Amino acid sequence: MRSNSNARSFFLSLQFRPQKVGFEFFSLPFGENDVPLQLFFEYGTLKIYGMKVLKFGGTSVGSVESILNLKKIVEGQDEAVVVVVSALGGITDKLINTSKLAVSGDASYLTAYEEMVERHHRMIDAIITDTERKQTLLATVDELLGQLKSIYQGVFLIGDLSEKTSNAIVSYGERISSNIVATLIEGAKWYNSLEFIRTKKKQGRNLFSNTMSQPLILEAFKDFGNVGVCGGFISTDCVTGEVTNLGRGGSDYTAAILAAALNADVLEIWTDVSGFMTADPRVINNAYPIDKLSYVEATELCNFGAKVVYPPTIYPVCIKNIPILIKNTFRPEDKGTIITNLVEGEDEGRAIKGISSINNTSLITVSGLSMVGVIGVNRRIFTALAENGVSVFMVSQASSENSTSIGVTDDDADRACEVLNREFAKEIEMGAMYHMKLERDLATVAIVGENMKHTPGIAGKLFGTLGRNGISVIACAQGASETNISFVVERKSLRKSLNVIHDSFFLSEYQVLNVFLCGVGTVGGSLLEQIAGQRAKLMKERNLQINVVGIASGHNAMFDRNGIDLAQFEEGGKFSIARLRAGLKQAEASNIDRLKEEVIGMNIFNSVFVDCTASAEVAGLYEDLLSNNISVVAANKVAASSDYNNYARLKATARRRGVKYLFETNVGAGLPIINTINDLINSGDKILKLEAVLSGTLNFIFNTISADVPFSETVRLAKEEGYAEPDPRIDLSGKDVIRKLVILSREAGYKMNQEDVEKHLFIPQSFFDGSLEDFWKNLPSLDAQFEAERKEVEAAHQHWRFVAKLENGKGSVALQRVGERHPFYDLEGSNNIILITTERYNQYPMLIQGYGAGASVTAAGVFADIMSIANI
Ligand code: ADP
Ligand code: ASP
Ligand code: MG
């Protein structure tokens, strides 16, 4: 603001243009449809050089902090400014709710009213320090509040709330706030919007009348000084003089109307976000401000629900080519968004600028065979709807022309159906058309960008992304201008749709993978440790962000759709499994049902469920998870080795839903055995024979047994080293190896179940029949016999190996003695080895060998599976 207002020159020119300038009719929700907006030019122009219109929304005048920011922003301007303000944040809602209380005879309306009085008084006390000015302001404000009280009393006593009264009540928010702001700003003059913003009633709606308002605005501002302040939103009817308004959010519109009428240099919308964002920041927390938008893009985004600007706002300034700048009152230093008439080619931005959505969508489908090629059906549809005041925001028609789907708001849905059933009653009776089909609980999403038309493949990418995440598109529409693709989805998929689209179009700098981890034993703990350690590097080098969105043990679980902060489990700068487990114990109690509910209910995109348990219950969730487009990575072998039909169904579901079910670590821990078999088969090879030592525990036992370490002691050591399954009997009974062999055989293309495997046990069955305690107790009774046999094996220069074999489609497991020349002879510690004989690797089989057990290599294998889902 200039310090010397008298020195500022202004220029006033009145031009009369008797003929209408030929602008196209443009329908706006709150425009005066019968009067084209070119009339802005008809009554002359007032051009105040170096002038801006600044609009401050509810939150910008809602607190002491924000209103003082407003003061600073306005007083820091170099140009003259017209300031348009909303009611104090939340007051409009409160005015409405209080009138509802009053009309229903609820005496508590008085308390609600008093709260509003209190709020305004407190604000005035905090920001106006000059006593004299405070008194004058309080006199005005109290006068207004007094009127408001009388109106409420009337409503309460009569029990009637007409539209006229409602409109009067709701206007007090802006009437009061504008007076407060005008007193707060040095040298400001208060202007009464009710005197120059006029509306006209049409089809039950109060539409802004430019014809009536324009001369009044010019008159009101003809001797405009340096700073003017007025309330947004409020208006008066041009016929009755009653108080009306421009609709919720209408202060933006008031500001645009003034900017256009006064030929401002710029219209600035000051709000609580740093610009027009790529998506609604309340839904998408990594949405970010867009630098530049064209008027067309901004209009499309606002029409589809981007609340940051009230949709009718754009047109009046657009036809005058006045830029709109969106700024953050709380962070004035942020750049904000500039909306202009971007010239094609000038904007090198992304193809898609933003995404917006409307969540109350109903879809009506008009269909019937007689519609095909018949001229006039669409005319009848839209005429009937328009005549009944139903506004249609999306239309989709197949080129076969036998159905047209129309998107309307939920409130209009029943009426629209009724109207159309009536309109086509004859055709429906004759069977040429069907009754209208109404689908509710839907949402509409629009992706917007003028550069879309120069970029092929946008629709493909959009629908591909949605499909991969299990979101069905119910209807879609793309105009030939190609600045917008809109589509309808179930309302419950809205959040996920916005997330996946936002992620794939705006955050392609890095990809997000959302991980649920079940099981925090040695493998799960080690996996988290590895994720925590690799996260930063993956982000930097692979552009992959791994978010752990859920961690569950058998009894507790924690969830956070934005990612659980793993740093909270650090100790001495390093991730600590113990701290995690302790933290988890404090978390909410959980069980299998809650786990399923939370994971599926979170309905989050790009998600992977990682099972590091040995639980059959958890394995029982996979089918539902996969069906909900959640990939599954399992260290748990239960599912892959369960009944063949179950295994086959899981694989089929994953294929059908376009997600992955991976279990590389089920066999040979981190060794790439299953992947290798898959690669061989996928490239046309055939697996003829598999021979393998697949039990790290058993191999450890037979490598450790010696004259000094008896058999029972080796089992104990295997358990201590963490090689064995939680219940070592699963290893010693050969069950674990059988499960692995079954999994490998299935992956190799053979239909095999555990019962089909021929087993030669080395411990009598009776040892497995009792309890675990009995087992440990009885185990030493085997030591003598093992020692006798061990001596024989040693004398013959042989080694014991527990070998799993697939040959001629048959599986078997047996403890074998192998000689020095056998490839299995030298197999250290808990290592695994597998020989794969295929049509290609025939005379010399392929050999894979290495660590076959241990938490950290298994966790690394699970991590590798997770990474392969990220597909990088
Ligand atoms: P004001 O009271 O200042 O008029 P509004 O609440 O009407 O503010 O509009 C600003 C709000 O719009 C933001 O706080 C944000 O939550 C919401 N919003 C929705 N979509 C978008 C978007 N695409 N960009 C920015 N804000 C958006
Ligand atoms: N105060 C009005 C509302 O809350 C107008 C506005 O803020 O734009 O809708
Ligand atoms: Mg608003």
Side-chain angles (χ1 to χ4, degrees):
M1 188 175 70
R2 291 207 206 134
S3 49
N4 181 352
S5 65
N6 295 334
R8 189 184 52 71
S9 62
F10 67 80
F11 182 85
L12 168 69
S13 90
L14 279 172
Q15 298 170 347
F16 289 96
R17 297 193 183 188
Q19 294 127 13
K20 286 187 176 179
V21 189
F23 282 99
E24 277 202 353
F25 171 78
F26 193 93
S27 153
L28 291 167
F30 283 87
E32 189 189 8
N33 290 1
D34 57 340
V35 184
L37 284 157
Q38 74 268 23
L39 289 179
F40 275 112
F41 293 103
E42 278 197 22
Y43 294 91
T45 29
L46 171 61
K47 173 76 188 164
I48 305 163
Y49 281 96
M51 192 276 275
K52 290 174 166 185
V53 174
L54 270 58
K55 178 261 170 177
F56 290 86
T59 42
S60 304
V61 291
S63 65
V64 173
E65 180 209 348
S66 64
I67 211 163
L68 292 177
N69 281 358
L70 175 158
K71 179 177 162 73
K72 229 194 266 161
I73 292 162
V74 173
E75 291 179 357
Q77 300 291 326
D78 290 329
E79 299 99 327
V81 284
V82 172
V83 178
V84 177
V85 292
S86 291
L88 269 58
I91 285 292
T92 308
D93 285 335
K94 186 124 186 167
L95 285 165
I96 295 170
N97 293 336
T98 308
S99 49
K100 285 184 187 152
L101 289 176
V103 75
S104 65
D106 186 338
S108 70
Y109 84 89
L110 254 180
T111 324
Y113 164 79
E114 292 298 343
E115 283 163 6
M116 288 191 277
V117 172
E118 174 69 22
R119 169 124 186 248
H120 287 101
H121 281 173
R122 253 188 290 124
M123 178 65 92
I124 294 169
D125 269 344
I127 60 172
I128 311 287
T129 42
D130 182 290
T131 338
E132 203 176 311
R133 285 167 76 181
K134 189 186 279 185
Q135 287 316 320
T136 320
L137 173 62
L138 275 173
T140 312
V141 169
D142 286 343
E143 158 77 25
L144 290 167
L145 287 168
Q147 292 169 12
L148 176 64
K149 186 175 185 178
S150 308
I151 302 175
Y152 276 140
Q153 267 165 349
V155 171
F156 176 70
L157 291 173
I158 301 172
D160 181 59
L161 181 65
S162 65
E163 190 199 335
K164 177 180 163 182
T165 313
S166 280
N167 286 342
I169 290 173
V170 87
S171 72
Y172 281 89
E174 271 75 4
R175 291 163 83 173
I176 300 173
S177 68
S178 57
N179 273 290
I180 298 178
V181 173
T183 309
L184 177 70
I185 295 170
E186 289 296 328
K189 178 177 173 201
W190 179 75
Y191 286 82
N192 185 359
S193 314
L194 295 176
E195 278 176 5
F196 49 79
I197 303 289
R198 289 279 187 267
T199 58
K200 197 167 149 188
K201 196 137 197 144
K202 194 154 180 242
Q203 281 183 331
R205 289 178 172 180
N206 296 312
L207 301 180
F208 168 67
S209 168
N210 196 57
T211 325
M212 304 304 293
S213 311
Q214 177 85 0
L216 298 173
I217 297 171
L218 298 186
E219 177 61 26
F221 285 86
K222 73 174 188 290
D223 54 357
F224 176 68
N226 215 19
V227 192
V229 176
C230 64
F233 176 62
I234 51 177
S235 47
T236 38
D237 184 279
C238 60
V239 178
T240 62
E242 285 164 11
V243 175
T244 57
N245 61 63
L246 302 178
R248 293 305 305 269
S251 296
D252 297 340
Y253 195 17
T254 309
I257 290 163
L258 292 177
L262 303 174
N263 288 301
D265 295 336
V266 62
L267 164 63
E268 296 186 359
I269 307 272
W270 288 81
T271 181
D272 59 351
V273 278
S274 292
F276 217 118
M277 320 269 269
T278 48
D280 187 338
R282 290 164 300 184
V283 182
I284 306 292
N285 59 14
N286 48 8
Y288 55 86
I290 307 164
D291 287 349
K292 291 190 223 167
L293 278 175
S294 71
Y295 292 119
V296 174
E297 289 167 337
T299 306
E300 300 256 24
L301 287 168
C302 297
N303 277 339
F304 271 93
K307 190 192 169 209
V308 61
V309 177
Y310 183 49
T313 307
I314 296 165
Y315 188 65
V317 280
C318 163
I319 57 161
K320 288 279 187 99
N321 214 356
I322 298 169
I324 307 174
L325 182 61
I326 318 277
K327 294 279 286 177
N328 190 341
T329 308
F330 302 86
R331 298 175 58 95
E333 66 285 3
D334 286 358
K335 202 164 144 204
T337 302
I338 181 99
I339 304 171
T340 54
N341 206 352
L342 283 179
V343 181
E344 220 173 278
E346 212 179 55
D347 175 34
E348 280 117 42
R350 295 171 185 275
I352 302 298
K353 288 291 190 60
I355 311 167
S356 54
S357 64
I358 300 174
N359 69 5
N360 63 338
T361 298
S362 292
L363 201 67
I364 296 169
T365 303
V366 188
S367 62
L369 292 174
S370 83
M371 285 171 67
V372 180
V374 178
I375 294 175
V377 174
N378 283 340
R379 181 189 55 74
R380 284 173 63 194
I381 296 174
F382 296 111
T383 310
L385 293 174
E387 278 170 358
N388 288 277
V390 175
S391 129
V392 172
F393 59 76
M394 202 191 98
V395 184
S396 147
Q397 182 179 36
S399 56
S400 69
E401 292 186 31
N402 63 5
S403 80
T404 299
S405 295
I406 297 159
V408 297
T409 61
D410 291 338
D411 291 345
D412 282 344
D414 285 328
R415 190 150 37 103
C417 257
E418 242 174 71
V419 165
L420 293 174
N421 278 329
R422 216 180 315 128
E423 173 67 31
F424 294 104
K426 247 201 214 113
E427 285 84 352
I428 294 170
E429 198 186 324
M430 280 156 42
M433 278 174 78
Y434 307 122
H435 275 283
M436 301 305 131
K437 183 175 143 209
L438 174 61
E439 288 165 273
R440 290 182 187 279
D441 299 325
L442 307 176
T444 310
V445 180
I447 64 169
V448 171
E450 289 208 72
N451 281 346
M452 213 146 75
K453 51 180 168 281
H454 308 299
T455 321
I458 299 280
K461 183 171 171 183
L462 171 69
F463 295 118
T465 307
L466 292 169
R468 254 195 324 283
N469 283 282
I471 300 160
S472 303
V473 172
I474 298 167
C476 69
Q478 176 179 20
S481 67
E482 287 187 51
T483 51
N484 168 322
I485 302 178
S486 339
F487 59 92
V488 176
V489 293
E490 282 184 49
R491 193 175 301 157
K492 64 178 196 296
S493 311
L494 175 61
R495 191 188 186 96
K496 187 170 175 185
S497 306
L498 292 174
N499 265 298
V500 293
I501 301 168
H502 194 262
D503 203 54
S504 80
F505 283 103
F506 294 104
L507 300 177
S508 40
E509 295 97 89
Y510 61 90
Q511 192 190 349
V512 177
L513 197 65
N514 293 304
V515 174
F516 294 94
L517 172 67
C518 189
V520 290
T522 50
V523 174
S526 184
L527 174 67
L528 276 180
E529 194 174 49
Q530 292 179 20
I531 291 178
Q534 292 291 311
R535 245 180 127 242
K537 191 167 163 215
L538 287 172
M539 195 115 147
K540 193 155 159 257
E541 293 175 10
R542 306 278 196 106
N543 300 327
L544 173 70
Q545 181 184 331
I546 297 193
N547 277 345
V548 179
V549 290
I551 305 176
S553 65
H555 306 287
N556 305 81
M558 49 173 88
F559 297 96
D560 183 347
R561 64 181 306 125
N562 298 317
I564 295 166
D565 178 17
L566 296 179
Q568 65 182 299
F569 308 119
E570 277 180 11
E571 208 163 68
K574 267 193 71 191
F575 178 83
S576 147
I577 301 176
R579 283 204 63 167
L580 163 78
R581 290 188 189 130
L584 201 52
K585 277 215 180 88
Q586 308 295 315
E588 268 187 69
S590 181
N591 55 33
I592 198 78
D593 295 327
R594 166 152 188 251
L595 183 66
K596 177 175 155 184
E597 234 169 68
E598 289 277 353
V599 175
I600 294 176
M602 205 183 276
N603 199 13
I604 200 165
F605 65 108
N606 289 356
S607 48
V608 191
F609 180 84
V610 180
D611 181 3
C612 291
T613 71
S615 150
E617 237 185 1
V618 177
L621 297 179
Y622 299 173
E623 174 68 23
D624 281 335
L625 297 172
L626 294 167
S627 299
N628 281 281
N629 289 71
I630 299 166
S631 290
V632 172
V633 169
N636 182 351
K637 302 180 193 75
V638 172
S641 61
S642 64
D643 179 67
Y644 183 84
N645 293 331
N646 185 46
Y647 156 87
R649 190 171 61 240
L650 292 176
K651 298 220 37 151
T653 306
R655 212 173 307 121
R656 199 174 58 247
R657 306 302 300 194
V659 291
K660 292 194 178 166
Y661 166 40
L662 301 177
F663 40 86
E664 176 62 77
T665 53
N666 280 192
V667 183
L671 294 179
I673 300 176
I674 293 177
N675 271 330
T676 306
I677 290 178
N678 290 158
D679 287 348
L680 289 169
I681 291 181
N682 291 339
S683 61
D685 207 348
K686 183 169 168 34
I687 311 289
L688 302 176
K689 185 171 163 189
L690 297 174
E691 278 171 289
V693 174
L694 297 174
S695 170
T697 309
L698 295 183
N699 207 46
F700 173 84
I701 287 171
F702 295 118
N703 279 336
T704 310
I705 191 167
S706 69
D708 303 326
V709 190
F711 174 70
S712 60
E713 184 57 21
T714 61
V715 178
R716 223 172 270 286
L717 283 173
K719 171 120 185 79
E720 266 169 41
E721 299 284 329
Y723 295 136
E725 288 284 314
D727 178 351
R729 292 177 299 179
I730 294 185
D731 292 302
L732 293 164
S733 65
K735 186 171 169 63
D736 187 55
V737 175
I738 290 171
R739 291 196 305 200
K740 289 172 176 165
L741 179 66
V742 163
I743 295 169
L744 287 186
S745 305
R746 289 173 175 179
E747 291 292 295
Y750 298 90
K751 190 171 170 177
M752 190 184 287
N753 274 316
Q754 293 188 39
E755 335 42 289
D756 303 333
V757 177
E758 198 180 300
K759 50 181 180 177
H760 302 277
L761 295 186
F762 55 93
I763 293 183
Q765 182 59 40
S766 59
F767 278 74
F768 303 112
D769 293 340
S771 69
L772 186 57
E773 222 173 37
D774 290 342
F775 173 79
W776 284 114
K777 206 163 72 207
N778 298 335
L779 206 55
S781 66
L782 292 170
D783 288 351
Q785 191 199 334
F786 264 100
E787 179 53 17
E789 285 185 32
R790 191 196 63 77
K791 280 194 183 130
E792 266 175 45
V793 172
E794 194 176 50
H797 299 287
Q798 288 175 323
H799 280 161
W800 265 321
R801 298 291 174 231
F802 191 72
V803 178
K805 205 184 277 182
L806 167 77
E807 197 168 14
N808 302 324
K810 295 253 170 317
S812 64
V813 294
L815 186 62
Q816 286 185 7
R817 296 174 179 190
V818 297
E820 280 166 315
R821 293 175 60 84
H822 195 283
F824 293 175
Y825 182 82
D826 287 315
L827 192 63
E828 305 295 324
S830 66
N831 284 4
N832 279 192
I833 188 166
I834 180 161
L835 284 172
I836 307 173
T837 309
T838 72
E839 281 175 351
R840 280 188 212 135
Y841 291 85
N842 202 296
Q843 198 176 351
Y844 303 103
M846 185 188 277
L847 187 147
I848 302 170
Q849 178 178 3
Y851 291 128
S856 75
V857 285
T858 308
V862 172
F863 203 173
D865 274 351
I866 296 174
M867 293 297 285
S868 82
I869 288 171
N871 210 4
I872 53 168

